[in-house]
């Protein structure tokens, strides 16, 4: 009975390609679980993978455009996990994921210019690369194989070991240590010019305190200076105002008072006139108040000899202080407080150095302890991973293969954080770097995966590792190209089973020429090429159950399909369905 693959939270839903390489226009649909792409050599299967690579940030070349066109477009539709990392990345960079979908598009032109879009909004290739790291991982012939990078290998080892939280703590501790080291270095550097700074700060503090500054003083001085400069005009003006309001027999107050008395007398004959006298009485009171204020201001105008020169001297002194310490008296006073605080800190310099040294030593101990604990976890996990991957490789037909996880430590640098044991350097990633090594034949040296020449051996090694790390690696879509190189028969059947096993927790796309692998697909996509006149057309279509059997028969027997090959194809298809 077949076990259906569950839809992953994120997955590639559709790939649309126009005027790209030999393809005029196709839409390739994909489903949850294992998707296989088959077709004759040259039909365009790997071209679809190249199109997907372009959407993940690969370099765009004008020669990728179909020869009879001036432009090409590739577009992918992804279903997204709302709680995953992609929506956060999009939001951070001003994009959005509408209706739980992500559409990535690249447009190429013959001029060499290419444009990228994320949900119809212009985007950078850098964003495509960042999204691609979280969406798709492609395993093919030495291209875009993240698993071949030592940094990626350490990441996967830590995920396999369940050590991601410990590594996060490690990075935090190293960051704290580096901040503490820089602060201690700053304090020690300050010691070298401490005396010079103290002399400078004490002089500045003395100069500012000696000036006896007061907030708002400059504004008051400038107002006094203005009064003194116009003293004669102020005296004459206030005297004139006093005369007009009060002193003259025909002053305003006298006239208003007479008018009020007259209205009072007339009110005896017409009571309505009494109301008109009330505003006059109020005006008389206001005029009397105004006259009193003017007399007070006039009496304040006492002009001391030399006062103007004294004000000018004080303003000159303030101007010089502002040039040195701030744009205003308030700014100078604020600077004064900063200098006083710095002097206090310098006075406590030795104490602060001792405290910082203790803080640095404390975080160093915690970082070393965390690093050694992480190392122990990695060493145990590396041994387990070696055994499990080696078992997978043997099942995949590489009986003599040897797989090793090598952990190496960097020598500590003078200014770095040392583990104390073996003088190894502690980094945010811990003490070690990791590298996966492989030997495929007896007597052959173990080599990094990047130096494995055989594409088939490399692909099978990747597949074996992925089967083990499926639960640890979060990339939702895996693409295997040439995973079947150099294998057949029983091993091909095992590879198919491994691919289906991996596809139970994520989406898998596999380009294959082997019917034993294709039989295990949850969705079988056929890529065909036909020449009509002078035009080459590529088509892509998902196959029904009957069409799948026919395609399996073609893969088994070539162009000439007999009843025997059809029978074999049906048995292969049913056997794969039943083994699920």
């Amino acid at each position: 009975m077949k076990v259906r693959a569950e839809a992953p939270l994120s997955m590639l839903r559709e790939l649309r390609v126009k005027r790209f390489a030999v393809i005029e226009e196709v839409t390739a649909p994909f489903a949850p679980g294992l998707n296989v792409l088959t077709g004759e050599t040259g039909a365009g299967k790997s071209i679809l993978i190249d199109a997907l690579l372009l959407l993940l940030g690969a370099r765009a070349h004008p020669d990728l455009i179909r020869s009879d066109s001036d432009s090409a477009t590739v577009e992918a539709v992804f279903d997204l996990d709302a709680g995953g990392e992609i929506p956060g990345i999009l939001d951070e960079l001003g994009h959005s994921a509408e209706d739980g979908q992500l559409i990535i598009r690249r447009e190429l032109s013959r001029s060499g210019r290419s444009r990228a879009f994320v949900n119809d909004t212009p985007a950078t290739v850098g964003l495509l690369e960042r999204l691609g790291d979280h969406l798709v991982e492609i395993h093919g012939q030495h291209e875009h194989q993240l698993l071949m990078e030592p940094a990626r290998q350490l990441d996967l080892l830590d995920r396999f070991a369940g050590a991601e939280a410990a590594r996060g703590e490690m990075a935090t501790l190293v960051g704290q240590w580096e901040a503490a080291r820089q602060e201690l270095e700053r304090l020690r550097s300050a010691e070298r010019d401490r005396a010079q700074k103290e002399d400078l700060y004490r002089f500045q503090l003395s100069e500012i305190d000696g000036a006896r500054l007061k907030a708002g003083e400059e504004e008051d001085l400038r107002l006094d200076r203005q009064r003194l400069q116009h003293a004669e005009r102020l005296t004459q003006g206030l005297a004139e105002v006093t005369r007009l309001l009060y002193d003259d027999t025909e002053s305003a107050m006298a006239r208003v008072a007479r008018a009020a008395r007259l209205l009072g007398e007339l009110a005896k004959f017409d009571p309505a006139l009494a109301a008109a006298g009330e505003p006059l009485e109020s005006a008389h009171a206001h005029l009397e108040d105004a006259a009193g204020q003017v007399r007070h201001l006039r009496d304040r105008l006492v002009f001391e000899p030399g006062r103007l020169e004294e004000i000018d001297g004080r303003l000159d002194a303030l101007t010089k202080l502002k040039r040195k310490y701030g744009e205003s008296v308030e700014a100078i006073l604020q600077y004064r407080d900063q200098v006083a605080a710095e002097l206090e800190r310098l006075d406590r310099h030795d104490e602060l150095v001792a405290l910082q040294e203790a803080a640095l030593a404390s975080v160093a101990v915690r970082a070393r302890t965390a690093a050694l604990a992480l190392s122990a976890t990695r060493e145990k996990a590396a041994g387990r991973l070696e055994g499990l991957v080696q078992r997978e490789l043997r099942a995949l037909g590489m009986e003599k293969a040897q797989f090793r996880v090598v952990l190496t430590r960097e020598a500590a640098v003078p200014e770095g954080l040392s583990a104390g044991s073996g003088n190894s350097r502690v980094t945010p990633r811990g003490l070690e770097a990791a590298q996966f090594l492989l030997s495929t034949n007896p007597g052959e040296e173990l080599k990094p995966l990047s130096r494995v020449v055989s594409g088939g051996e490399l692909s099978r090694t990747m597949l074996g590792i992925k089967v083990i790390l499926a639960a640890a690696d979060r990339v939702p879509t895996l693409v295997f190209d040439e995973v079947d190189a150099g294998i057949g028969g029983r091993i091909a059947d095992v590879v198919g089973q491994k691919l289906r096993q991996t596809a139970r927790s994520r989406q898998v796309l596999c380009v294959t020429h082997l019917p034993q692998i294709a039989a295990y697909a949850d969705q079988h996509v056929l890529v065909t090429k036909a020449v009509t006149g002078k035009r080459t057309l590529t088509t892509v279509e998902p196959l029904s159950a009957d069409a799948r059997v026919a395609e399996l028969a073609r893969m088994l027997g070539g162009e000439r399909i007999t009843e025997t090959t059809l029978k074999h194809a049906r048995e292969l298809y049913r056997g794969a369905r039943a083994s699920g």
Side-chain angles (χ1 to χ4, degrees):
M1 178 179 176
K2 181 184 175 186
V3 178
R4 291 292 300 174
E6 293 183 4
L9 294 176
S10 294
M11 60 171 282
L12 174 63
R13 177 63 66 184
E14 198 170 72
L15 182 63
R16 305 163 185 161
V17 182
K18 294 182 180 180
R19 302 179 296 280
F20 185 79
V22 299
I23 296 176
E24 171 65 25
E25 181 173 354
V26 299
T27 296
F30 298 103
L34 176 59
N35 297 256
V36 298
L37 289 84
T38 66
E40 295 181 355
T41 300
K45 302 182 297 297
S46 292
I47 292 174
L48 293 176
I49 306 303
D50 291 339
L52 185 56
L53 283 170
L54 198 64
L55 294 169
L56 303 179
R59 186 175 177 182
H61 297 280
D63 55 9
L64 293 172
I65 301 171
R66 186 177 165 93
S67 58
D68 57 359
S69 300
D70 293 324
S71 64
T73 303
V74 293
E75 184 175 79
V77 180
F78 293 89
D79 289 340
L80 292 184
D81 171 15
E85 296 173 312
I86 296 297
I89 294 173
L90 293 173
D91 184 64
E92 174 189 337
L93 298 175
H95 296 268
S96 62
E98 297 179 1
D99 301 323
Q101 280 198 337
L102 170 67
I103 301 175
I104 301 175
R105 184 173 77 254
R106 285 193 79 174
E107 299 175 353
L108 285 66
S109 69
R110 189 69 69 182
S111 65
R113 181 185 177 189
S114 75
R115 298 190 300 169
F117 298 85
V118 170
N119 286 345
D120 288 327
T121 301
T124 64
V125 173
L127 174 58
L128 266 56
E129 292 176 343
R130 188 173 173 189
L131 294 173
D133 287 344
H134 295 276
L135 287 170
V136 180
E137 187 169 322
I138 297 180
H139 297 292
Q141 280 270 40
H142 303 290
E143 283 189 295
H144 294 263
Q145 299 178 43
L146 294 176
L147 194 53
M148 292 167 63
E149 300 174 5
R152 176 68 166 169
Q153 292 168 6
L154 184 64
D155 292 344
L156 291 177
L157 176 62
D158 286 343
R159 289 180 184 176
F160 174 74
E164 291 176 289
R167 202 170 100 176
E169 180 187 1
M170 179 81 261
T172 299
L173 288 170
V174 172
Q176 291 174 354
W177 178 87
E178 180 59 28
R181 185 194 68 79
Q182 290 180 5
E183 176 60 17
L184 181 59
E185 179 61 27
R186 189 188 71 79
L187 288 171
R188 286 173 173 167
S189 297
E191 174 66 24
R192 290 190 285 271
D193 57 352
R194 176 181 169 190
Q196 182 179 357
K197 281 187 175 180
E198 280 188 346
D199 288 344
L200 174 63
Y201 290 156
R202 291 191 192 285
F203 169 78
Q204 291 177 339
L205 194 62
S206 174
E207 185 175 31
I208 295 172
D209 287 348
R212 297 181 180 178
L213 302 175
K214 291 182 285 188
E217 176 184 11
E218 187 175 14
E219 291 75 11
D220 291 343
L221 287 171
R222 294 195 182 282
L223 185 56
D224 285 347
R225 187 174 187 277
Q226 184 173 290
R227 290 194 190 104
L228 290 170
Q229 286 179 322
H230 301 90
E232 183 177 354
R233 178 72 182 93
L234 285 170
T235 301
Q236 292 174 352
L238 290 174
E240 178 70 13
V241 170
T242 300
R243 189 167 56 255
L244 291 172
L245 290 177
Y246 184 76
D247 290 344
D248 286 355
T249 55
E250 294 298 319
S251 67
M253 289 181 62
R255 289 172 176 254
V256 169
R258 286 201 302 271
R261 283 196 303 272
L262 182 58
L263 281 173
E265 292 173 0
L266 295 174
K268 295 176 182 177
F269 308 110
D270 185 355
L273 296 175
E278 291 178 2
L280 289 176
E281 291 176 1
S282 177
H284 187 273
H286 284 299
L287 287 170
E288 190 171 36
D289 183 54
Q293 292 185 42
V294 170
R295 283 196 299 269
H296 176 69
L297 292 171
R298 183 191 61 191
D299 295 342
R300 280 181 53 198
L301 291 176
V302 178
F303 304 108
E304 301 175 11
R307 176 58 179 162
L308 183 59
E309 291 76 8
E310 179 184 333
I311 290 175
D312 285 339
R314 181 62 173 174
L315 288 172
D316 287 343
L318 292 179
T319 299
K320 291 176 182 177
L321 288 173
K322 287 196 298 181
R323 289 197 192 108
K324 296 169 70 174
Y325 303 123
E327 296 181 352
S328 65
V329 170
E330 287 74 15
I332 295 171
L333 291 172
Q334 184 177 5
Y335 179 76
R336 184 262 177 216
D337 293 339
Q338 293 173 0
V339 168
E342 186 64 18
L343 266 175
E344 182 182 1
R345 196 188 65 79
L346 289 174
D347 289 340
R348 297 179 59 236
H349 183 269
D350 292 340
E351 177 188 350
L352 293 175
V353 168
L355 289 172
Q356 192 60 34
E357 286 174 342
L360 181 64
S362 174
V363 74
V365 168
R366 288 185 287 137
R368 289 175 187 133
T369 301
L372 292 172
L374 181 57
S375 295
T377 299
R378 284 171 173 167
E379 287 168 5
K380 291 178 182 177
R384 296 200 317 272
L385 183 60
E386 286 176 351
L388 291 171
V389 171
Q390 202 149 292
R391 186 179 69 186
E392 292 293 329
L393 294 180
R394 286 173 183 151
L396 291 168
M398 299 169 66
E399 291 85 359
K400 304 300 183 181
Q402 298 291 317
F403 177 81
R404 293 287 180 271
V405 179
V406 176
L407 299 174
T408 56
R409 295 184 178 183
E410 294 184 44
V413 293
E415 70 277 7
L417 174 59
S418 169
S421 173
N423 200 32
S424 300
R425 179 186 176 196
V426 180
T427 73
R429 299 167 70 87
L431 288 168
E432 299 86 11
Q435 191 164 54
F436 293 171
L437 303 181
L438 180 69
S439 170
T440 57
N441 299 301
E444 190 176 273
E445 67 171 335
L446 288 159
K447 295 180 291 188
L449 297 185
S450 58
R451 290 174 53 198
V452 175
V453 176
S454 167
E457 290 177 341
L458 183 59
S459 291
R460 276 181 282 166
T461 301
M462 297 298 185
L463 176 59
I465 294 172
K466 278 297 172 186
V467 169
I468 302 302
L469 298 176
D473 192 3
R474 297 190 183 94
V475 178
T477 299
L478 303 180
V479 179
F480 289 95
D481 194 9
E482 299 190 33
V483 72
D484 55 7
I487 64 172
R490 183 186 66 83
I491 301 304
D493 186 72
V494 172
V495 170
Q497 293 180 40
K498 297 296 182 184
L499 288 170
R500 183 174 62 182
Q501 178 183 342
T502 303
R504 285 175 181 164
S505 60
R506 67 201 59 237
Q507 184 186 47
V508 175
L509 276 59
C510 178
V511 175
T512 184
H513 294 279
L514 297 179
Q516 295 92 335
I517 293 176
Y520 284 97
D522 292 295
Q523 174 156 286
H524 190 150
V525 177
L526 177 63
V527 183
T528 57
K529 180 175 70 173
V531 178
T532 304
K534 295 183 179 181
R535 294 174 62 85
T536 301
L537 298 177
T538 295
T539 59
V540 176
E541 62 175 325
L543 299 181
S544 63
D546 290 342
R548 287 186 65 173
V549 171
E551 172 62 6
L552 292 176
R554 183 200 65 78
M555 298 172 76
L556 283 166
E559 293 301 323
R560 186 170 178 272
I561 300 175
T562 66
E563 210 37 63
T564 301
T565 55
L566 278 171
K567 180 180 178 182
H568 188 185
R570 290 190 193 97
E571 291 174 352
L572 189 64
Y573 180 71
R574 290 168 184 166
R577 300 299 89 191
S579 67

